[in-house]
Amino acid sequence: MQFDFERFTKLFARAYPVARYGRIKQSGTDSGLFSYNDALEVFRLYFSAYEYYTGYVHPPLKRGKIVDLIQRMDSCETPENSPHSEMDFEPEDYPDLIRAHFQTKYRNCDYNICHFFSGCIRYLRCWDAVITDRV
């Protein structure tokens, strides 16, 4: 991988405690927040897949965005017509979600990790991964 993951890891090390503190402040507990190692692994998997599928190095992220993404990893929004308000994820869900994401053709998408964590993207890719695995 050409992405400077060592440099990212140093930035991540400063972002993770902020994400944890924010979760505790928001909900009174850090319940659901991925562990340091699990969250870092999700980023590593994504950046590696980004290079594989796009042929480019993922653009750098600012610490605030990393904090936001860490706090979003364990759940996502669902469409308005869904009977649930959110969907929960585990670290082991991410390899299939990431693969399904990069196999999806979007209009005007640069496949940035911020897009992957926006709106209902992971919810939809979860269904793609489940359907693909069963076919």
Side-chain angles (χ1 to χ4, degrees):
M1 179 166 56
Q2 293 182 7
F3 182 84
D4 190 348
F5 199 70
E6 185 176 323
R7 181 173 180 230
F8 176 82
T9 300
K10 291 175 184 174
L11 186 56
F12 179 89
R14 293 192 308 271
Y16 188 84
V18 176
R20 187 169 183 268
Y21 174 77
R23 176 65 66 92
I24 291 169
K25 187 175 179 183
Q26 178 184 25
S27 64
T29 179
D30 66 353
S31 177
L33 191 70
F34 283 12
S35 72
Y36 180 96
N37 289 334
D38 286 341
L40 185 60
E41 179 62 8
V42 169
F43 280 105
R44 189 195 65 74
L45 287 169
Y46 195 90
F47 296 145
S48 179
Y50 184 91
E51 282 188 33
Y52 177 80
Y53 286 101
T54 69
Y56 298 101
V57 175
H58 192 281
L61 298 170
K62 294 185 178 188
R63 187 180 77 163
K65 183 48 76 175
I66 296 168
V67 168
D68 178 52
L69 298 179
I70 292 167
Q71 290 177 335
R72 291 172 174 240
M73 282 185 182
D74 62 322
S75 66
C76 76
E77 299 172 23
T78 59
E80 290 180 15
N81 61 352
S82 173
H84 307 289
S85 61
E86 65 180 37
M87 175 180 260
D88 295 331
F89 296 106
E90 298 294 327
E92 53 271 6
D93 296 327
Y94 275 90
D96 289 335
L97 290 173
I98 292 168
R99 178 186 43 76
H101 175 62
F102 282 102
Q103 292 175 348
T104 301
K105 301 296 181 215
Y106 301 99
R107 291 172 55 197
N108 301 320
C109 177
D110 65 359
Y111 291 90
N112 190 298
I113 194 169
C114 299
H115 175 258
F116 178 64
F117 278 95
S118 68
C120 301
I121 298 295
R122 289 173 294 141
Y123 171 84
L124 297 170
R125 297 305 66 91
C126 182
W127 288 110
D128 288 347
V130 168
I131 291 167
T132 302
D133 287 346
R134 291 189 178 168
V135 173

